[in-house]
């Protein structure tokens, strides 16, 4: 997949906080779209900036973990952010500096994930970890697509 938006979002800056965000040190929301007169306000650039802004808090959190010497080998993405193949996955990999994997069911999101946790509580074998349960009972045979971070993103 090739993004039509420019790598820098055409110079657009989005702040998507509708409410406070402690990790960003914001007590209240301040949704904002800002641009300089030279910025290129096109739909592809706006969408790319929107996706990147959605990852801002994740990036801040991962930067904090990196300072504490916590390495991220790979992220497994799920939810509406992954409904469109590759778009969110590529930008998340760039923000995280780590590969991001998604399964065919990636777009199902939070309620589906909560249902998986509930199923684990009632169906797992004694001593079976959640990771093992998911790998062998839920996701066995699922197609997984993993994308590494790309310098251009």
């Amino acid at each position: 997949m090739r993004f039509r938006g420019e790598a820098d979002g055409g110079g657009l800056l989005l702040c998507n906080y509708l409410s406070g965000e402690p990790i960003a040190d914001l007590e209240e929301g301040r949704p904002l779209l800002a641009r300089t007169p030279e910025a290129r306000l096109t739909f592809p650039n706006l969408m790319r900036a929107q996706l990147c802004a959605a990852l801002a808090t994740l990036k801040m959190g991962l930067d904090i973990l990196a300072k504490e010497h916590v390495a991220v080998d790979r992220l497994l993405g799920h939810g509406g952010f992954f409904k469109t193949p590759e778009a969110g996955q590529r930008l998340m990999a760039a923000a995280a500096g780590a590969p991001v994997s998604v399964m065919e069911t990636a777009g199902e999101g939070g309620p589906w994930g909560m249902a998986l946790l509930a199923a684990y509580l009632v169906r797992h074998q004694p001593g079976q970890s959640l990771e093992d349960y998911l790998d062998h009972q839920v996701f066995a045979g699922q197609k997984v697509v993993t994308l590494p971070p790309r310098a251009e993103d």
Side-chain angles (χ1 to χ4, degrees):
M1 174 182 183
R2 185 174 118 18
F3 284 108
R4 292 179 304 198
E6 298 169 62
D8 69 350
L12 304 177
L13 173 68
L14 275 164
C15 178
N16 286 342
Y17 297 122
L18 300 177
S19 62
E21 177 52 64
I23 200 167
D25 201 25
L26 292 173
E27 291 184 24
E28 299 176 337
R30 291 292 183 261
L32 171 74
L33 168 61
R35 65 185 184 98
T36 63
E38 300 81 32
R40 291 153 310 281
L41 181 57
T42 65
F43 186 73
N45 284 340
L46 180 64
M47 290 301 96
R48 187 176 184 103
Q50 176 73 14
L51 289 172
C52 288
L55 296 167
T57 305
L58 173 69
K59 173 69 172 145
M60 287 181 235
L62 290 173
D63 287 348
I64 291 168
L65 289 175
K67 288 179 187 174
E68 297 297 324
H69 308 289
V70 175
V72 174
D73 296 327
R74 177 179 69 125
L75 295 173
L76 181 61
H78 76 281
F81 197 77
F82 302 100
K83 284 273 190 195
T84 301
E86 289 192 34
Q89 187 179 3
R90 275 186 53 182
L91 293 178
M92 183 177 280
V100 173
S101 299
V102 296
M103 297 179 194
E104 292 175 306
T105 56
E108 298 307 316
W112 185 72
M114 296 305 289
L116 289 179
L117 289 175
Y120 168 73
L121 285 175
V122 297
R123 295 183 182 159
H124 74 281
Q125 300 300 314
Q128 185 179 30
S129 69
L130 175 61
E131 180 180 12
D132 184 65
Y133 175 79
L134 293 174
D135 286 346
H136 295 99
Q137 270 71 41
V138 178
F139 299 128
Q142 284 281 323
K143 180 183 172 194
V144 178
V145 176
T146 302
L147 296 179
R150 297 181 187 182
E152 64 266 23
D153 291 329

